[in-house]
Amino acid sequence: MDDRAEPQERELRVGVVGVGQRADLATLANRPGLARVVSCADPSPRGQGDARRLFGADVTVRERYEEMLDDDLDAVFVLTPDDLHTQPALFFLEAGIAVFVEKPLAITLADCDALLSAAFRTRTRLYVGHNLRHLPMLRQVRALIDTGAIGRVRAVWCRHFVGHGGDFYFKDWHAERARTTGLLLQKGAHDLDVMHWLAGGYTRNVVAQGTLAVYGGNPRRAEQAPPEHERMPDWFDPEIWPPSKLRDLNPVIDVEDLSMMLGRLDNGVLTSYQQCHFTPDYWRNYTVIGDEGRLENFGDGIDGDPATIKVWNRHRSGFRDDADLVVPVAAAAEGLHGGADRSLVEEFLRFAAAGGPTETSPVAAREAVAAAAAATTSLRAHGTPVDVPALDPALLAYFDHHQAGPAPRPLGGHQAVAEAGRGAGGEAREPRP
């Protein structure tokens, strides 16, 4: 990726919106000479305290992200809960500040398209945190596909065993449709993006089935939310088994804990995605079938553990464990998600400073949400087939060219703030943390 728009002239000044469970990601942006986190915004006392702990006593800490425009930022990480991504991301895009949005890009297709449209109109760089594209195991899978190890891809399957689903997704806001749309979107956006990436296309039609099979009957908390200062690591206990023994679940649980979807991509590839939140093990298994073989991973390396990719592509047989090609993927020496997070942040900082191609894509992030939202509609309509709307061709062309293009006349300071504070119809927008 050498076609940078311009060399970096100074250390980037970086902001963080939402200093919660995922804030550790932004600590990777503190790179002397390249970037430094100088400003954070979070409405909670715990988030504000964590900002100082993670980024140092000199970091500017604010309650409202709108105040961060006074901090001369070059780039910002939006690490809020999923349903709170859109407003701060739009705000900073309007202000001309490069934006990193944690996945999923948004919880509705309309919000995704609003974000892409804003980035297109303002020519402000938008980046989405689909870190699995940087996961060593999946990069090796992609390399095997690219070298023709299994011929032309015809099908991609993913089984996602979410062994800690009860603790991770059913004790707080993740369990509510209003906050996530559903776990096929919130949790599945990663996998759907990977499946699109490996298959070389985007989903255009889906059917799905799902149910709340286990966690609908577990005892729930009386209050609407966990105490303000608590986060998932505070209550997580991997020793509780079986899942029916979990207590203190969210009072509102209206998402599915078991989901299955089938998709047809625009290039004819068929996909299958299965997600279960009460398995004893926690990992992802991808199977990619071509017209000259198939490959499959055993272990995924996300927690830094080793993984193995097996390829069967020499001859037909019955079951045999001795694959024709075995590719070990070493455990990561350090770093979150097998080192993928560090690579993700490095790419964002380079992109924010210089532009150019990236492994991740706002269009791909939009397509993952679009497929997941359509599948959620299907499963809640008892498996009715649902078409996935395609993106506006003008937006597709812009992002296919890595968001390169002449910048329109920029909005001046106070004008930018005023425009960013208004909705699509010109009405005043409520500020959101």
Side-chain angles (χ1 to χ4, degrees):
M1 298 182 184
D2 297 322
D3 51 344
R4 301 183 179 188
E6 68 271 347
Q8 183 171 336
E9 297 179 354
R10 67 179 178 91
E11 189 177 72
L12 295 177
R13 293 175 60 84
V14 177
V16 178
V17 179
V19 189
Q21 191 170 308
R22 192 67 171 125
D24 283 351
L25 178 74
T27 64
L28 302 173
N30 275 328
R31 302 173 64 82
L34 179 63
R36 180 166 58 97
V37 175
V38 298
S39 174
C40 296
D42 195 290
S44 74
R46 178 171 181 174
Q48 294 166 16
D50 283 348
R52 296 182 179 93
R53 176 180 60 84
L54 291 170
F55 304 110
D58 293 336
V59 70
T60 299
V61 179
R62 303 185 181 277
E63 184 175 349
R64 292 163 48 90
Y65 64 77
E66 293 90 342
E67 299 169 348
M68 296 171 72
L69 284 190
D70 294 333
D71 299 329
D72 189 28
L73 298 178
D74 301 298
V76 65
F77 286 83
V78 175
L79 305 178
T80 61
D82 299 351
D83 59 320
L84 303 180
H85 286 175
T86 303
Q87 298 305 330
L90 286 173
F91 181 83
F92 289 104
L93 288 171
E94 296 286 357
I97 296 169
V99 176
F100 176 112
V101 182
E102 174 62 332
K103 77 88 206 169
L105 177 57
I107 66 168
T108 68
L109 182 56
D111 278 354
C112 288
D113 288 352
L115 287 167
L116 268 62
S117 295
F120 171 73
R121 176 172 48 78
T122 62
R123 297 301 196 266
T124 305
R125 290 169 182 156
L126 174 63
Y127 187 94
V128 187
H130 277 286
N131 56 356
L132 291 191
R133 291 196 179 207
H134 291 273
L135 186 71
M137 183 276 292
L138 284 169
R139 294 189 68 79
Q140 184 61 64
V141 168
R142 176 62 189 259
L144 288 166
I145 293 171
D146 289 345
T147 57
I150 58 172
R152 179 180 173 184
V153 173
R154 298 294 187 173
V156 182
W157 304 342
C158 176
R159 298 181 299 163
H160 192 174
F161 309 108
V162 191
H164 304 320
D167 274 312
F168 284 12
Y169 302 103
F170 287 87
K171 289 192 173 184
D172 63 5
W173 58 270
H174 293 85
E176 302 180 28
R177 295 182 185 187
R179 305 291 306 273
T180 62
T181 294
L183 296 177
L184 265 181
L185 193 158
Q186 200 287 329
K187 186 63 170 167
H190 264 320
D191 299 299
L192 295 172
D193 176 61
V194 167
M195 294 167 76
H196 289 162
W197 183 50
L198 299 180
Y202 294 130
T203 302
R204 294 277 72 94
N205 181 270
V206 296
V207 294
Q209 294 281 357
T211 187
L212 182 59
V214 170
Y215 296 117
N218 290 51
R220 307 185 188 187
R221 293 188 316 276
E223 66 271 23
Q224 178 61 30
E228 187 278 333
H229 63 280
E230 287 194 5
R231 297 176 188 151
M232 184 275 295
D234 300 324
W235 64 67
F236 175 55
D237 184 353
E239 299 304 316
I240 296 176
W241 185 261
S244 60
K245 289 186 177 180
L246 283 170
R247 299 293 184 266
D248 298 321
L249 270 61
N250 200 59
V252 176
I253 299 177
D254 57 5
V255 298
E256 297 76 18
D257 56 17
L258 179 62
S259 303
M260 304 178 185
M261 64 177 282
L262 301 174
R264 181 181 294 275
L265 276 54
D266 50 17
N267 60 0
V269 174
L270 300 182
T271 60
S272 171
Y273 177 56
Q274 303 168 49
Q275 181 189 95
C276 181
H277 285 265
F278 46 88
T279 58
D281 48 345
Y282 193 4
W283 64 293
R284 292 168 165 94
N285 169 257
Y286 296 95
T287 297
V288 185
I289 303 174
D291 52 16
E292 296 180 8
R294 77 172 181 93
L295 61 79
E296 184 175 357
N297 68 288
F298 297 87
D300 56 26
I302 288 177
D303 291 327
D305 300 325
T308 300
I309 302 165
K310 292 187 175 184
V311 183
W312 292 267
N313 62 359
R314 298 279 179 84
H315 59 86
R316 291 181 290 178
S317 71
F319 170 78
R320 55 190 174 98
D321 189 54
D322 55 328
D324 299 307
L325 175 63
V326 177
V327 182
V329 181
E334 60 178 349
L336 298 170
H337 294 106
D341 283 3
R342 180 172 296 279
S343 297
L344 184 79
V345 171
E346 288 175 352
E347 181 173 77
F348 170 63
L349 295 176
R350 190 269 301 160
F351 177 65
T358 58
E359 292 290 347
T360 68
S361 159
V363 169
R366 181 263 189 196
E367 293 290 350
V369 170
T376 302
T377 297
S378 174
L379 70 85
R380 291 175 185 164
H382 308 291
T384 300
V386 177
D387 291 332
V388 181
L391 185 64
D392 183 308
L395 293 178
L396 185 61
Y398 174 68
F399 287 100
D400 276 351
H401 288 85
H402 317 302
Q403 305 179 53
R409 183 177 180 179
L411 296 172
H414 293 297
Q415 184 184 358
V417 175
E419 290 296 327
R422 296 191 177 276
E427 71 280 3
R429 259 198 319 246
E430 287 293 322
R432 303 174 80 175

